[in-house]
Amino acid sequence: MATVAKQNPGLDGIQPTTSNASGGGDKVPAGARVHVLNTGSGSVNCTINTPGTARGGLAIADKVIACPNGTGSAGTTIFDVPTDPYADADGLVSLTWSGTTNVVFYALGPVSS
């Protein structure tokens, strides 16, 4: 499971560095905005895993994000990963993928410039 840091474009902008989706899943910092590009042959699901439970021990469902395939904006999916209820004790959010072939992603941080 790879941990991918947030990138911040600032006022000058960036060409974001992408990471390949890992078969064992990936982690990103809580509060990030995740950009997924799926140029594979079919849609994949990215599951945002919930590490804890609600009061009384009730399970909190994981969030599944469908990431359609395509090129350019047609294959791009963007979503936020809030701290509550998804962050683990280290402040990271765990993502798992239903497929990883030709799937890359990056995480952007909050505006800080």
Side-chain angles (χ1 to χ4, degrees), residues 4-107:
V4 175
K6 289 188 276 190
Q7 301 174 61
N8 189 336
L11 289 174
D12 294 326
I14 59 169
Q15 290 291 19
T17 301
T18 60
S19 297
N20 293 319
S22 301
D26 296 289
K27 289 188 174 192
V28 297
R33 176 162 287 167
V34 177
H35 295 242
V36 179
L37 177 59
N38 173 15
T39 59
S41 60
S43 182
V44 299
N45 288 331
C46 177
T47 301
I48 306 171
N49 299 297
T50 306
T53 57
R55 191 164 71 182
L58 298 173
I60 302 171
D62 295 340
K63 176 68 176 165
V64 178
I65 309 288
C67 302
N69 63 314
T71 58
S73 61
T76 301
T77 304
I78 302 169
F79 56 90
D80 294 334
V81 288
T83 299
D84 185 26
Y86 301 109
D88 63 16
D90 295 324
L92 298 173
V93 176
S94 176
L95 308 174
T96 54
W97 310 91
S98 64
T100 58
T101 303
N102 296 317
V103 178
V104 296
F105 73 102
Y106 60 93

